[in-house]
Amino acid sequence: MEKEKQLLVKCRRLIEESLRWGDSSTWSNDDFEQLSEKIFDKTRVQLSISTLKRIWGKVRYENFPTTATLNALAGFVDYESWRDFRQKNEVSEPVSPFENGFEVPSPLQDGAKPKSRAVSALVVFVVILLVVLAITYISFQKKQTPVDLSKVKFEAAKVSDTLPNSVIFNYDASAFNSDSVYIQQSWDPTRREKVDGNGKQYTSIYYNPGYFIAKLVVDNKIKKECIVSIKTSGWKGIIEAKPVPIYLSEKEIKGKGFMGISDSLFHQKTGSPVFNDIWVKFANVHEYNGIDAGNFTLETTLRNSSSVEASVCRQVKVILLGTGSAIVIPFSDKGCISNLDLLTGDNYISGKNHDMSAFGCDFSQFQRIKCSVAGHHLKIYLNDKLILDTPQKITLGKIEGIRFEFEGAGEVKYVKLSTPGAGVYEEQFYRD
């Protein structure tokens, strides 16, 4: 078992090196969430955030990871399985005085004579070398003055209240004396941009609304964080595209009795009659005053209005954004439930290793969806039928937004977010 533990440490180190996110001791919940997604994208195995935290020592847990978990970790660093990783990565073990069943003779056996002078000279050289290295290290450490992070400047200022939105970061990382200084837009390390270590300002464009925690990264370690909240004025329709998304006007997303986008408009905007893995989102991001993230109900009526020929799986996501986490509720045609991944706020549930058939829909009809949180329990209903009841140990923090996502065309007829006896947000969509 000790050898297996050493191998797990080595595998973990290889994963850290491939991610290049810096010291894992500084990783946040968002980082483990992103790692879970990356492992799933590569191996199609869903490891929960809590499992990854146990592996990285963030949560105390005595049991060794299961074979399935080990296979996923090994697969992420390009090994066929944990067995393959074990065979190709031997770890050091105490050397036995026996080799092939026979004792290995020592240099003093069979008349061998010790070379005392040479040995003594080597010992003296090693001692002197160690003393020099120790003095050098101590001197270097004395020169290093720990940086007071409370005095490190890292602030963000938006230039407007519209989309896209340039954000000006005012920072001062000069105390670190480093040429490895980056500003990262959010939890996503691919949105990390190198900046001048002695600079004072840097601007970055945010194309999507949301609640982001930007990071000042020095020598691959997160030193400071600041909040960037990109809000919307009402509902904003956005078609995902790279490198720049496609924005929809308010007139384009308002139909007769619904908010959405038609097949024909989707085709016109994307240039493609097939919408597989092309998503449109409708977001309303702002503070929902009076809504308690630990006691609320979200109700909506919607459908994916694409034809099967245009979007094979016709997936839909209902998303509630919070300052601490998010709830992501997925739906699809009944034949595609294997592709669904649900986020409860603190736990992933994957269609790869869970039965998600209750989340399969007949999108020829509008679907009534309800999500409620109370007493640290999340409940999800589809057409008035309870399809999920699960604990939620961590709340969303503060609710900052509602988002609907469709793989292809989609329509939303109604949405209501409320806390009993407190705040209510409600909207019935219609054309003026």
Side-chain angles (χ1 to χ4, degrees), residues 71-295:
N71 286 339
L73 295 173
F76 186 69
V77 286
D78 300 321
Y79 287 87
E80 293 181 1
S81 63
W82 183 251
R83 176 180 296 174
D84 182 41
F85 181 82
R86 184 193 300 117
Q87 291 173 343
K88 295 178 181 177
N89 290 273
E90 293 298 326
V91 292
S92 301
E93 291 185 341
V95 179
S96 171
F98 294 82
E99 186 174 326
N100 297 327
F102 298 95
E103 186 174 0
V104 180
S106 75
L108 297 181
Q109 288 179 323
D110 300 329
K113 297 181 179 180
K115 299 180 180 180
S116 57
R117 291 183 179 179
V119 172
S120 298
L122 179 61
V123 170
V124 171
F125 173 79
V126 171
V127 171
I128 293 173
L129 179 61
L130 291 175
V131 170
V132 171
L133 290 174
I135 292 174
T136 302
Y137 176 77
I138 293 172
S139 299
F140 176 79
Q141 288 295 99
K142 288 181 178 180
K143 293 179 182 178
Q144 301 301 304
T145 303
V147 176
D148 184 353
L149 295 181
S150 66
K151 296 181 179 179
V152 174
K153 187 175 184 178
F154 185 51
E155 302 169 344
K158 298 181 296 183
V159 301
S160 72
D161 292 321
T162 60
L163 288 171
N165 201 323
S166 286
V167 173
I168 299 173
F169 290 100
N170 296 295
Y171 72 99
D172 185 355
S174 58
F176 296 104
N177 294 314
S178 173
D179 60 358
S180 178
V181 180
Y182 293 81
I183 289 178
Q184 185 172 312
Q185 280 194 352
S186 64
W187 57 266
D188 185 355
T190 65
R191 302 309 303 271
R192 183 179 292 186
E193 300 170 315
K194 189 171 184 179
V195 300
D196 184 352
N198 293 312
K200 301 300 180 183
Q201 287 187 327
Y202 189 78
T203 61
S204 187
I205 296 179
Y206 285 73
Y207 290 104
N208 286 287
Y211 185 90
F212 307 96
I213 300 178
K215 306 173 190 299
L216 179 67
V217 183
V218 181
D219 297 326
N220 285 323
K221 294 183 179 180
I222 298 171
K223 299 298 184 180
K224 293 277 283 190
E225 295 181 331
C226 68
I227 294 170
V228 179
S229 181
I230 308 295
K231 299 179 174 61
T232 63
S233 178
W235 289 93
K236 184 68 177 178
I238 305 172
I239 299 175
E240 291 186 356
K242 292 185 180 297
V244 179
I246 301 168
Y247 293 143
L248 301 171
S249 70
E250 183 177 355
K251 183 177 180 181
E252 287 174 326
I253 68 175
K254 286 292 181 73
K256 294 181 178 179
F258 65 85
M259 173 182 68
I261 182 174
S262 65
D263 274 22
S264 58
L265 182 57
F266 209 116
H267 183 186
Q268 176 188 330
K269 293 290 186 178
T270 63
S272 173
V274 178
F275 313 136
N276 297 322
D277 205 29
I278 303 178
W279 291 77
V280 61
K281 63 182 70 171
F282 301 94
N284 194 348
V285 179
H286 61 84
E287 294 92 350
Y288 286 80
N289 297 322
I291 303 299
D292 181 357
N295 183 21

